[in-house]
Amino acid sequence: MLKDINPKLPMRNKAVTKDYYLNQLGFQEFGNADFDGYLMIQKDNIQIHFFEFKELDPKENYGQVYIRTDNIEKLYRSLLENGTSIHPNGNLQTKPWGQKEFSLLDPDTNLLTFGQEV
């Protein structure tokens, strides 16, 4: 029955979030309506939605998304080539649970972890 999932993460500034995901991570804006305080982006087969939360303290944000990929090496290289900052503790590595992973933080410290089965 379940078909898909579209996580919703907080953002303080729509323009900053949009710029980061489109220009740093290669996402595209989803849909053609510009909703006040809401942003929908997509890349390949995933969507992430954002809701405005201007009072968000990035030091207290625990938003997280785990995104599976089928070519983690290529994705990692492309982000590095684009100048995207990787989380200091999130460099590409194989984890004991059988996933090759890396992580990054968006402008609001939402944690994005990308993983591929080894």
Side-chain angles (χ1 to χ4, degrees), residues 45-81:
N45 294 321
I46 69 161
Q47 275 186 35
I48 304 174
H49 295 208
F50 296 88
F51 61 94
E52 187 174 69
F53 183 12
K54 291 185 180 200
E55 298 80 24
L56 175 70
D57 180 351
K59 294 177 184 173
E60 295 180 6
N61 183 15
Y62 299 101
Q64 299 182 33
V65 177
Y66 193 97
I67 302 169
R68 296 195 184 274
T69 179
D70 60 4
N71 196 336
I72 197 155
E73 299 277 347
K74 181 179 179 182
L75 177 61
Y76 188 71
R77 276 192 315 273
S78 71
L79 292 174
L80 289 176
E81 289 168 2

Side-chain angles (χ1 to χ4, degrees), residues 97-108:
W97 45 89
Q99 295 286 313
K100 189 175 260 193
E101 299 178 350
F102 72 91
S103 300
L104 51 88
L105 294 170
D106 78 4
D108 295 300

